[in-house]
Each structure stands twice: as structure tokens, then as C-alpha cells.
Amino acid sequence: MRKPITEDLPLFRRSDFPPDFRWGCSTSSYQIEGGIHEDGRGESIWDRFCATPGHIRDASSGAVACDHYHRWPQDLDLAQSLGTNAYRFSVAWPRIFAQGRGRKPNQKGLDFYSRLVDGMLDRGLEPWLTLYHWDLPQALQDQGGWAERSTIDAFLDYTDVVSRHLGDRVKHWITHNEPWCTAFNGNFEGAHAPGLTSFKTALQVCHNVLVSHGLAIPIIRRNVFGGQVGAALSLHPLKPATDSAADVAATRRHDGLRNRWFLDPLHGRGYPADVWQLLGDNAPRMQADDLASIATPTDFLGINYYFPEIVADAPGQGPLATRVVEAPDVERTAFGWEVSPEGMVTLLSRVVKDYQPAPIYLTENGSTYDDVVAADGSINDVERRRYLQRHLLALREILALDLPVKGYFAWSLLDNFEWAEGYIRRFGLTHVDFATLERRLKLSGQWYSAFLRGNL
Ligand code: FCB
């Protein structure tokens, strides 16, 4: 008889998953690298954003972060010791072009990523490279940022340079991480860099980011023999707050911007008409071929899954007259995000049913809790371990439903700079002491490793 892993959860093993399944951890440049003045790196919008008091909860920044820029061999050792076979990271654009564009890329920046990629390959980790995980060169923001078409051209030049230099070794390419967050957290909610609060700008940013994704695909394919390209979207399963017609309609509108605004055009359907007609003059300006560019076929769809949302009708509130409400009595992480492994099953079933996408990779999933370091230095993060176990059980269910999911990347390898939350929110499987920069595997990391190494 199989014995339970912990309390009520059934035992499951890596061998329950296909042998070629990708198991990894995800990270991003600004959140872990530090070394912001090193080797010719230019300023990013996050450096600038963090410098303004009030933007980051603990008034911190990514100036040092995990000092991964210097400690990367140790971090890759850690990823390898977990038993992962893939590693997702991002390239900091300002390390390649300090001013965002130019005739000559910064060789030292390219060399850093080249060494990093070699380090992955040496350790049996398949590199999964994200081109844009939010650290836009500030010089481009000064010229209007993603709201300007010229930023698309700069992104394509940057894509060309990075894919030419690393494409012999990196075969998996993610153009953008979570375009929703780039557009709306950064340009409408003002909670992320560049800190703007215009709905119209956010929609234009969103459109330009999607166009840049589509136009980058043939460049990567040209430069990377056997390259696989996709984007990583943040998607959410949604439920109406009540079964009233008003809440059901509000949920549909919210879905229109949160999920369909990305899934529809990426799958050749253009923007959802029901939302477009609510936008009035906030609708983005488009050029003739844009929708065709956005719909360029990809090799996979990356999905970052964190939490479901419950939506109510809210006349006069926000651009779509909707409101996200707190579900009573649900389990939550320290961020307040609902813990819902079943939501992941619902979401993936829906995406596959409605869009029949290319193979799916779960490019992020993880949780934050208030970790306590015990006197003996151990971090007994039972809640994060349980979160991971329950989401992997949900993943097993997803595979049993025959949904085409091919990999899972835990967010994150390390505690890191969690954007507007600074260092308050820890998502790592590894604890980082930000005073000494010492790394220490948490209980959750030990469990992931035991699972991946078949030692459960
Ligand atoms: C995602 C981001 C990632 C991290 C996690 C917690 O939205 O892609 O960088 O902040 O949330």
C-alpha cells in the first residue's frame, strides 16, 4: 500500500509523470541578479522606480538582491542538486543595451549570459530564456516606453542580438513574461515600474508588447536552429460572486481583459469584441498587420498560475464596472492569494477546450508564507511544501485528463526581490538571508528534491 506523503495527501512520484516532462525552477533577472552597476549595465525602469520613496514597501530595491550576478555558480549547483532538468531565467535588457538600443551590444553583458547558459548545460539543466521579465531600459521609458512603437523595434534588435549569441545553446525562448502585468500593473495601477496610472496607456502598452512578441518569433526561429518559442501569460480561473445575471456578466467582462485579451489575439481571433466596445477612446491604436503578427503561431504556451478570482458587478467602478471580491473562508497564502490547486485544473481545462493551444508549460507556480528560521537554521515551511504537493497532485490530475502539459517550473529557486513588496514576500524553495546572502534549502525545497530524485 502507498503511504501518504503528509497527513491526508496520497503518495505520488515523479515516475507517475512522463519521462520527458520538464521539471524546473523559475527566476528573473531583476529579482535575483543585483550587480546593477556592473560591466556596463544601464539603468532599468525598476532601478528608477525603486528610487522613489513609497513605491516599494520596505524601501528596498534589486541593487543587490541575491547577488546572483556573482553567485550564479552556487545557484546553479543548487538547481542541479534539486534534481531539476530545466531552469527558467531572464536576460536583463539593460545589460545588453545600456540605452535600450544602439549599434553595438555590450559584450560583457552577453558574456555573462553566455557563461550562465554554459553553467546550466554543464549541470544538465535545459535553459529556458525569457527575453522580457519587466526590466525595460530606462532610456526607452524616457522616450515613451512600451506605449511607443519604436520600443517594438528596439525589442526586435535586442531579440536578434541575444538569439544570435545564445541560440546555439538555448533552444527554449519566452518572449514576454506576463504581458498583463507589464501593461496594467505598471501603467494603469501604478504599482509596478514605470508607475503610470493611465488605462489608455496601459492598453497601448499591452498591444505593443503583444505585437513585439509576434514579430520576435521569426527572428528567433531564424537565429536558433530547432528553437521553440512562446510567451508566458498570467491567467486566472474566475467565478462570479453570486449567480445573479449582473455578476455573471461582470465575470465575463473581467475575463475579457484578464484572460481573453491575450488568448484570443494570440490564437488568431483578434481582441474580444465585447470588451473592445467598452473601451471607447481608450482602445489601442493598431496598424494593419498587427493582429496577424500577434497571431504568429508559437511552439508552446507558457502559463503562470497563482490564484483564482471572484468577480462582482460594480457599476461605475473601474473601466469595466467590475470588482474582485474576497472569497470568505478560503485558504490563503501570506499575500492573500487564494490557494486553489483545483483552480489550476479548471483553468487548464478551459484553455485547452477553448483554444486547443500548442503544448503548455506551467512556467510559474508558487507561494509566499512568513518563513521562520529555527534556532538550528532550518526553515520548516510546511505550508509551502503542502502548496507544492497539492499543485503537483493537481498537475497529475491534469495529465490524467490528457491535457497537453509538458513541464512545471516552481516559482522560485530563491527568495528574491518581490517587486513592490520588496523582500517582505518570500517565494523561494531556498531561503536567502539578505544580510549575509547565505542560501539554505527550506523543507519545501528538500521535498521537491526528494520528489524529483525519486526518494519519497
Ligand atoms: C509573477 C511574476 C514573478 C513573481 C511571482 C510571484 O507574477 O512573474 O516575477 O513576482 O509573480
Side-chain angles (χ1 to χ4, degrees):
M1 222 183 65
R2 291 188 149 196
K3 59 180 176 13
I5 323 174
T6 41
E7 303 126 49
D8 51 321
L9 298 180
L11 180 66
F12 63 103
R13 296 198 162 91
R14 181 180 185 162
S15 54
D16 297 344
F17 295 83
D20 61 347
F21 203 77
R22 298 320 200 278
W23 293 104
C25 292
S26 277
T27 60
S28 90
S29 48
Y30 191 74
Q31 293 179 276
I32 64 169
E33 284 179 359
I36 59 170
H37 300 299
E38 218 98 349
D39 294 335
R41 175 188 178 279
E43 189 188 11
S44 86
I45 55 173
W46 274 93
D47 299 314
R48 182 72 65 93
F49 187 72
C50 292
T52 307
H55 279 164
I56 311 298
R57 252 179 87 193
D58 58 2
S60 66
S61 76
V64 177
C66 307
D67 192 34
H68 173 78
Y69 193 75
H70 301 108
R71 294 168 198 248
W72 61 267
Q74 181 190 348
D75 294 337
L76 295 184
D77 286 347
L78 198 59
Q80 181 189 34
S81 75
L82 288 178
T84 53
N85 57 19
Y87 177 75
R88 176 171 174 237
F89 68 110
S90 78
V91 173
W93 185 347
R95 290 199 191 279
I96 309 301
F97 286 104
Q99 299 301 312
R101 64 177 113 231
R103 299 235 314 276
K104 246 178 73 80
N106 173 25
Q107 192 56 46
K108 288 189 170 162
L110 288 168
D111 291 345
F112 169 68
Y113 291 108
S114 186
R115 288 194 297 275
L116 190 65
V117 164
D118 286 343
M120 290 172 213
L121 295 171
D122 288 346
R123 292 168 178 80
L125 301 169
E126 180 178 70
W128 282 63
L129 185 154
T130 304
L131 283 160
Y132 188 75
H133 200 126
W134 309 351
D135 39 1
L136 186 73
Q138 179 63 40
L140 295 182
Q141 189 60 44
D142 294 341
Q143 295 154 37
W146 281 112
E148 286 300 318
R149 292 289 297 199
S150 58
T151 298
I152 301 177
D153 301 328
F155 178 74
L156 298 179
D157 290 345
Y158 157 67
T159 297
D160 185 43
V161 165
V162 177
S163 54
R164 264 192 293 117
H165 279 80
L166 302 178
D168 55 338
R169 289 156 289 160
V170 177
K171 301 298 171 187
H172 292 86
W173 293 75
I174 293 171
T175 53
H176 280 272
N177 179 67
E178 303 188 348
W180 190 93
C181 295
T182 300
F184 296 99
N185 285 340
N187 296 276
F188 176 48
E189 293 172 0
H192 283 183
L196 306 180
T197 51
S198 154
F199 189 52
K200 189 178 173 72
T201 304
L203 284 161
Q204 192 63 51
V205 163
C206 194
H207 177 70
N208 292 352
V209 163
L210 289 173
V211 172
S212 78
H213 153 81
L215 293 175
I217 297 170
I219 297 175
I220 298 168
R221 291 225 175 96
R222 189 181 68 218
N223 291 338
V224 183
F225 178 74
Q228 305 269 303
V229 195
L233 304 180
S234 47
L235 300 176
H236 301 262
L238 305 175
K239 270 195 287 208
T242 70
D243 52 18
S244 74
D247 285 347
V248 171
T251 306
R252 178 86 188 143
R253 295 196 296 282
H254 189 75
D255 181 56
L257 200 59
R258 204 77 162 118
N259 298 318
R260 287 182 287 126
W261 200 253
F262 303 89
L263 289 166
D264 278 14
L266 288 171
H267 294 92
R269 302 180 194 175
Y271 289 111
D274 58 331
V275 175
W276 185 277
Q277 56 142 12
L278 301 173
L279 299 179
D281 346 315
N282 289 320
R285 279 172 283 112
M286 292 207 272
Q287 293 185 4
D289 298 333
D290 284 359
L291 289 175
S293 304
I294 296 173
T296 305
T298 55
D299 301 293
F300 62 86
L301 173 66
I303 297 181
N304 295 353
Y305 172 68
Y306 288 96
F307 56 92
E309 283 179 339
I310 299 190
V311 186
D313 184 37
Q317 212 172 299
L320 300 182
T322 60
R323 183 164 62 90
V324 172
V325 297
E326 297 243 311
D329 306 327
V330 297
E331 192 183 332
R332 296 175 188 287
T333 68
F335 226 142
W337 295 353
E338 182 179 341
V339 177
S340 176
E342 44 306 337
M344 187 162 98
V345 182
T346 316
L347 174 71
L348 294 203
S349 306
R350 182 259 172 121
V351 171
V352 172
K353 176 169 157 287
D354 290 356
Y355 297 94
Q356 300 86 46
I360 295 174
Y361 290 88
L362 282 157
T363 35
E364 286 181 28
N365 170 245
S367 61
T368 179
Y369 291 99
D370 297 327
D371 295 332
V372 177
V373 183
D376 65 357
S378 61
I379 298 101
N380 200 22
D381 61 336
V382 284
E383 292 128 309
R384 187 179 290 99
R385 181 181 64 177
R386 189 172 167 79
Y387 179 100
L388 177 61
Q389 292 166 340
R390 288 176 62 200
H391 284 78
L392 295 190
L393 275 166
L395 183 56
R396 201 177 62 158
E397 204 179 315
I398 286 167
L399 293 177
L401 292 170
D402 248 347
L403 305 181
V405 179
K406 307 287 183 201
Y408 176 91
F409 292 80
W411 183 271
S412 178
L413 176 65
L414 304 166
D415 288 339
N416 58 48
F417 175 74
E418 178 46 40
W419 310 115
E421 299 287 312
Y423 296 96
I424 294 171
R425 297 284 171 232
R426 294 174 177 271
F427 275 89
L429 298 176
T430 308
H431 181 268
V432 178
D433 177 331
F434 290 104
T436 62
L437 295 170
E438 194 192 331
R439 279 86 161 129
R440 197 181 287 254
L441 204 58
K442 302 178 192 177
L443 191 68
S444 56
Q446 290 167 13
W447 181 83
Y448 196 38
S449 164
F451 165 76
L452 292 175
R453 296 183 162 281
N455 292 337
L456 284 181

